[in-house]
Amino acid sequence: MTQAEVQLTDNGLYAPLSGGETYFNYHWLRDADPTTIDPQTRERVFDVTSLKAAPRARSARVANGALEIDWANEDHLTRLPLDRLEAFVANGRRPDPADLPRQLWYAGHDAQFRRMSQAEVEGTDQGRARLSRALIEEGVALVTGMENSDDSLTRLVNCLGPVTPTGEGHYFEVRLEIEPTNLAFTAGPLEMHTDLPGEEMAPGVQFLHCRANTVEGGYSLFLDGAAVAGALREEDPEAFALLSTHKIPFFYRHDDWDYRAWQKVIELDARGNVSGVTISQHLQEDMDLPQEVLDAYYPAFCKFIRMMQDPRFVCRFRLNAGECIVFDNHRIVHGREGFSAESGERHLRGCYTDRGATWSTYRTLAVNGHDGQPVATAAE
């Protein structure tokens, strides 16, 4: 290809890509130069504001599979591989191994929760990739074969990221307490909720390690909040718009703490897709939206909560000793049926890690060939 095939303008150029001539801004092209990133630290070492004038191409051409740009205001030649430009155009952003489509699920899916043993997750990169991929795609996974120790949960969490502390510390014990600080520490039922929305940054990925469960009742209730939000969007677009636009207040307070935060009940990503939900009536503060807005907001809010009680969405199952359910606290909504306190023992040890850490773990594993995909059998 010759220089004439790259059209230059005042602010950018048109590069010949597979989809036709594609425009790129000069500032973006200069920042995208591979030499702007230090190979050791992998951080940017170039400051575009240090240039005496705005970047502008003196000439540009395609050669040897790369776009070559000779800059007018500095003695520098940029070489950008065309496949990198193609990948950016295809995604609208830098390719991301963790940018996987969410797989929505409904009632009865608990039998299909992705399962892997603690030994597999701790002992193999593919096991860690399987767990982190499940959390990205379905928002939930079940780890089996957990040893009955405090350290067991710590080791599992550290396979994805460091433990994230909350107002109550690094870990919490879900069992009966005489003076409970949380409804989870009673024998009563728990309505469907996400954890700790009163914290400015609600915890990301939650772990619940079942140490003992011999009580009558106490079945776990789980649903995919993204699936319920998607159904609301189809059935009542106006209600969906209200819940995804306005923030409402949540709290978490006791003698020694008083957390307050405002969250949207339905969170959307940059593409307008549902990325998360936040719901917790037992940690919901008095709504401070204008009263006229509440005329429409409250019916939408109540409708969404009632949908979370609909049997078409809710999975009901018993969490057994030696199992740890891991789930995205910004997507998966959970609850619990009440149980008979005198009928046995029920003890779950829990904690959190950051979603960003989990996604980071998957990216580093995927680029090294561990994508977490199930291995196909000969029959398949």
Side-chain angles (χ1 to χ4, degrees):
M1 293 184 179
T2 66
Q3 180 177 331
E5 292 177 293
V6 179
Q7 178 187 348
L8 306 182
T9 71
D10 289 341
N11 296 309
L13 57 77
Y14 288 86
L17 300 183
S18 60
E21 291 199 343
T22 305
Y23 179 78
F24 291 94
N25 170 269
Y26 284 142
H27 283 85
W28 186 92
L29 289 166
R30 187 61 183 88
D31 254 346
D33 187 318
T35 64
T36 65
I37 303 298
D38 179 76
Q40 178 62 38
T41 65
R42 305 184 190 184
E43 296 177 354
R44 187 175 300 281
V45 292
F46 170 73
D47 178 5
V48 71
T49 67
S50 67
L51 299 176
K52 295 180 179 180
R56 183 169 182 175
R58 177 183 296 111
S59 63
R61 68 190 185 108
V62 171
N64 302 317
L67 172 66
E68 295 184 350
I69 307 170
D70 181 20
W71 296 103
N73 299 316
E74 56 176 324
D75 183 18
H76 184 76
L77 180 72
T78 288
R79 294 191 77 258
L80 278 166
L82 290 181
D83 57 1
R84 177 179 170 186
L85 297 178
E86 295 275 12
F88 187 88
V89 171
N91 294 282
R93 61 185 64 183
R94 193 178 184 92
D96 180 2
D99 187 18
L100 301 169
R102 295 178 186 86
Q103 298 177 5
L104 305 183
W105 49 268
Y106 304 87
H109 187 71
D110 50 288
Q112 281 77 50
F113 285 169
R114 297 185 207 179
R115 287 167 166 77
M116 63 268 335
S117 69
Q118 180 178 20
E120 179 186 358
V121 176
E122 288 187 22
T124 70
D125 286 338
Q126 187 65 2
R128 288 200 299 147
R130 284 188 62 209
L131 176 56
S132 52
R133 184 179 184 122
L135 294 170
I136 295 170
E137 292 183 325
E138 295 192 354
V140 65
L142 197 66
V143 178
T144 60
M146 295 282 294
E147 68 180 47
N148 188 17
S149 70
D150 288 356
D151 183 59
S152 176
L153 180 58
T154 303
R155 298 199 317 267
L156 177 66
V157 177
N158 288 340
C159 289
L160 298 184
V163 174
T164 302
T166 68
E168 293 196 60
H170 288 77
Y171 300 90
F172 57 91
E173 310 293 336
V174 183
R175 56 188 171 193
L176 292 179
E177 294 185 0
I178 296 176
E179 297 181 353
T181 59
N182 190 303
L183 288 175
F185 308 154
T186 71
L190 284 178
E191 93 280 354
M192 303 302 286
H193 67 283
T194 57
D195 271 21
L196 301 180
E199 297 201 4
E200 183 177 3
M201 297 297 293
V205 174
Q206 182 169 354
F207 296 74
L208 286 174
H209 174 199
C210 184
R211 305 282 292 272
N213 191 7
T214 59
V215 297
E216 295 177 5
Y219 276 68
S220 296
L221 306 173
F222 278 75
L223 62 78
D224 185 348
V228 183
L232 179 68
R233 184 181 230 166
E234 291 184 5
E235 297 175 17
D236 194 337
E238 293 183 2
F240 180 91
L242 284 165
L243 299 185
S244 60
T245 301
H246 298 283
K247 291 184 177 182
I248 61 172
F250 294 91
F251 67 90
Y252 189 43
R253 64 177 66 101
H254 209 259
D255 293 343
D256 299 321
W257 61 82
D258 186 346
Y259 287 86
R260 308 181 193 193
W262 283 255
Q263 315 282 3
K264 292 178 182 177
V265 172
I266 298 176
E267 292 282 349
L268 305 180
D269 63 19
R271 298 181 178 124
N273 298 319
V274 176
S275 60
V277 298
T278 298
I279 198 77
S280 180
Q281 287 179 278
H282 64 276
L283 295 176
Q284 175 195 316
E285 187 63 276
D286 296 339
M287 289 197 193
D288 53 9
L289 295 173
Q291 295 296 314
E292 294 78 12
V293 174
L294 290 177
D295 288 345
Y297 188 91
Y298 251 117
F301 180 75
C302 293
K303 180 173 184 175
F304 191 50
I305 292 175
R306 291 190 188 101
M307 289 179 70
M308 290 185 177
Q309 301 163 356
D310 192 320
R312 62 178 162 151
F313 296 111
V314 180
C315 290
R316 176 182 179 272
F317 59 93
R318 186 178 188 85
L319 195 62
N320 299 306
E323 297 176 338
C324 182
I325 191 156
V326 188
F327 55 98
D328 182 349
N329 183 52
H330 290 259
R331 170 179 170 182
I332 304 305
V333 184
H334 66 291
R336 182 193 70 204
E337 295 180 349
F339 61 91
S340 171
E342 296 78 20
S343 61
E345 181 184 6
R346 191 178 193 273
H347 176 199
L348 277 64
R349 180 172 172 82
C351 66
Y352 310 92
T353 192
D354 185 59
R355 281 205 302 181
T358 302
W359 278 219
S360 169
T361 294
Y362 180 76
R363 292 186 186 105
T364 57
L365 291 166
V367 297
N368 287 298
H370 306 287
D371 62 5
Q373 288 273 36
V375 178
T377 64
E380 295 174 322

